[in-house]
């Protein structure tokens, strides 16, 4: 191997940061977990686990009444709305418009396409598995589609984690990047838990939704980190001019 070839190989090897390699390993591990969970669900191995948790969240002898005070049920109903199509669509459109106005065209287009394709993936998974909704306890909200994976859990994870990961790349300070990512994770978690509390999803539906949504968001982050610039064209140009002026 010549000196030029050796340097080229080392450059390609070091182009991937350790964090990127860790994320790639996480994607592989997540795919394995999702595949195993789906297999167990199709074989009916998770039913006892799901039944135990759903029954534990209802009052003994009154399965139509969830545990906790009345205000908690009302609050959970409000939280689950954050994972609905209307709220997520508004959130995605507003963030996309903001990025367009901020002249971050590549990230804006990537955000919109990432969320839309994630929603499509959720629908396809539901059709492929075709798991009916749980009938162990009465539903506290009206539902009509299939159960696995939880659409609210997966789509909210896809939307909030993707938006959080991509928006974090536009932030200057580490503290704001951490906050944006934490907010995305927090929203995805409480929305998924609300579906279990309301009795409209098996816990394994929600776990699968979180796993699939996180994988999708992580994959989008890896692609954007590799190919999508995080700064607006004007900001990048100003930074280049500043460096050039300093070196002169």
């Amino acid at each position: 191997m010549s000196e030029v070839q050796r340097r080229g190989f080392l450059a390609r090897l070091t182009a991937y940061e350790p964090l990127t390699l860790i994320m790639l390993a996480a994607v592989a591990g997540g795919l394995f977990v999702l595949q195993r969970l789906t297999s167990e669900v199709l074989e009916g191995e998770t039913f006892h686990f799901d039944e135990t948790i759903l029954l534990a969240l209802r009052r003994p002898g009154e399965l139509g009444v969830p545990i906790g005070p009345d205000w908690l049920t009302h609050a959970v109903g409000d939280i689950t709305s954050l994972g609905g199509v209307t709220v997520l669509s508004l959130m995605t459109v507003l963030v996309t418009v903001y990025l367009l106005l901020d002249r971050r065209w590549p990230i804006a287009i990537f955000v919109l396409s990432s969320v839309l394709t994630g929603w499509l993936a959720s629908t396809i998974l539901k059709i492929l598995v075709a798991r009916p909704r749980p009938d162990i306890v009465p539903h506290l909200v009206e539902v009509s589609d299939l159960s696995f994976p939880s659409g609210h859990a997966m789509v909210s994870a896809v939307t909030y984690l993707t938006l959080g990961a991509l928006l974090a790349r536009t932030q200057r300070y580490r503290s704001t990047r951490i906050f944006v990512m934490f907010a995305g994770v927090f929203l995805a978690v409480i929305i998924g838990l609300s579906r279990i509390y309301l009795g409209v999803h098996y816990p394994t539906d929600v776990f699968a939704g979180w796993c699939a949504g996180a994988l999708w968001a992580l994959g989008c982050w890896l692609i954007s980190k590799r190919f999508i610039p995080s700064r607006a064209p004007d900001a990048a140009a100003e930074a280049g001019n500043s460096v050039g002026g300093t070196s002169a």
Side-chain angles (χ1 to χ4, degrees), residues 116-179:
L116 291 180
T117 52
W119 291 5
L120 177 62
S122 174
T123 302
I124 293 174
L125 282 174
K126 279 180 175 289
I127 295 173
L128 291 176
V129 178
R131 187 187 199 184
R133 292 279 180 166
D135 56 4
I136 300 171
V137 297
H139 300 165
L140 300 184
V141 293
E142 185 178 350
V143 290
S144 58
D145 59 345
L146 297 170
S147 191
F148 185 95
S150 166
H152 272 66
M154 179 173 175
V155 173
S156 63
V158 166
T159 304
Y160 291 121
L161 295 185
T162 298
L163 293 179
L166 297 180
L167 285 178
R169 296 190 59 226
T170 69
Q171 304 305 306
R172 177 181 303 178
Y173 302 107
R174 174 175 295 182
S175 57
T176 55
R177 292 196 296 269
I178 293 174
F179 174 79

